[in-house]
Amino acid sequence: MQTQTEHQAGPQWLAVLDEEARGLVAAVDARPDASRLLDGTLDPEGYIHYLVQTYHYARWSTPILAEAGHRLNRLGRHPELAALLIQKGEEERGHDRWLLSDLKNLGCSEQQVEAAARSPAVEAYTGWNFFTSRSGVPTAVLGTAYVLEYLSQTRAGVWAERLKAVGAIPNIHKAVTFLRSHGALDGDHVAEMQRLLAPLTDPEDQEAILFSARVARSVYPRIFREDGASSHPRAR
Ligand SMILES: [Fe+2]
Ligand SMILES: [Fe+2]
């Protein structure tokens, strides 16, 4: 537990973090392909592009989160947040396999997915988060994790339901495991993070977490196709 004299800091700084999370949702909704996800009309190419790019960052989630947690422990700081990071690394384990499975059911082999070009957004996302995990302020990773879990709680389940309801993508009912699973899980994950982040009063950590959330808000929406252009391995 932190000092009681600064107990007002918790709700105030979490409100700023929530503002970043809502900003990310708005920035994602503003992307043409994400708005098509929201009304269920996204075409197969756009959905495959989104899943392939998601794979190329989600495959690194476990090492990014776990290494940040272990480094925080080595630095002797915030043991409860170190435990949270390590726990979240375990929660993310295997989610890349859901993406490969969804993509396989859309006609994309693992080899095609592995060979696909990473978008600049994915390169920035993985580069930034590996940097903060291994060399920056390690608690920063929680800022990215928080806003993405908030997005997931707000959008993933809805996207899965609308895609299935519209049925514009052949075999879609076998290709929404990643979205459906995250929509179901991440509401609890957001609540848990709020509880553990509320007592944090260290200005350096708060700033690092908020800055990382802003980077995610800037970078993540660009994993979607730009005006329909795509660089994914097309299903045959
Ligand atoms: Fe995940
Ligand atoms: Fe989660």
Side-chain angles (χ1 to χ4, degrees):
M1 285 294 111
Q2 303 289 324
T3 61
Q4 292 187 341
T5 51
E6 292 177 282
H7 69 282
Q8 287 297 330
Q12 280 170 13
W13 97 271
L14 278 187
V16 181
L17 186 57
D18 269 331
E19 190 61 35
E20 291 301 328
R22 284 192 294 273
L24 172 64
V25 174
V28 166
D29 285 348
R31 302 292 297 167
D33 273 7
S35 78
R36 292 176 196 126
L37 271 177
L38 192 54
D39 66 20
T41 62
L42 186 61
D43 57 288
E45 291 82 358
Y47 186 50
I48 288 168
H49 177 93
Y50 161 73
L51 292 180
V52 167
Q53 296 306 317
T54 301
Y55 171 77
H56 281 295
Y57 80 78
R59 63 185 302 191
W60 303 113
S61 295
T62 297
I64 285 169
L65 288 156
E67 287 179 33
H70 290 301
R71 189 160 151 256
L72 203 53
N73 274 332
R74 282 200 304 279
L75 295 169
R77 303 180 62 239
H78 304 304
E80 70 292 348
L81 296 182
L84 176 65
L85 283 158
I86 292 165
Q87 172 201 315
K88 298 196 84 56
E90 286 309 308
E91 284 168 6
E92 292 305 318
R93 192 179 294 283
H95 292 189
D96 51 335
R97 305 304 304 180
W98 288 340
L99 288 156
L100 289 175
S101 164
D102 287 344
L103 282 160
K104 189 171 178 215
N105 290 333
L106 295 171
C108 293
S109 71
E110 189 169 339
Q111 290 73 20
Q112 285 176 302
V113 176
E114 291 289 353
R118 285 80 166 145
S119 70
V122 167
E123 300 283 16
Y125 176 97
T126 52
W128 165 254
N129 283 290
F130 267 123
F131 162 71
T132 56
S133 172
R134 293 173 169 171
S135 183
V137 179
T139 44
V141 175
L142 292 167
T144 291
Y146 185 85
V147 296
L148 284 188
E149 300 229 63
Y150 185 95
L151 172 72
S152 178
Q153 140 185 282
T154 313
R155 288 290 178 263
V158 183
W159 288 347
E161 288 308 311
R162 300 264 167 84
L163 286 173
K164 282 193 294 180
V166 174
I169 299 171
N171 217 26
I172 188 63
H173 60 288
K174 288 187 174 171
V176 290
T177 309
F178 179 84
L179 288 178
R180 203 187 52 227
S181 306
H182 282 90
L185 293 171
D186 281 340
D188 289 345
H189 292 172
V190 169
E192 180 184 43
M193 288 189 81
Q194 285 172 340
R195 183 171 58 77
L196 287 165
L197 288 174
L200 182 68
T201 53
D202 185 323
E204 186 192 28
D205 289 292
Q206 287 184 357
E207 182 50 39
I209 289 168
L210 290 172
F211 187 59
S212 184
R214 286 183 191 117
V215 171
R217 173 180 172 172
S218 162
V219 164
Y220 177 86
R222 302 284 160 173
I223 75 164
F224 293 97
R225 284 183 309 187
E226 184 147 314
D227 302 327
S230 76
S231 58
H232 61 74
R234 180 72 182 91
R236 283 186 295 129

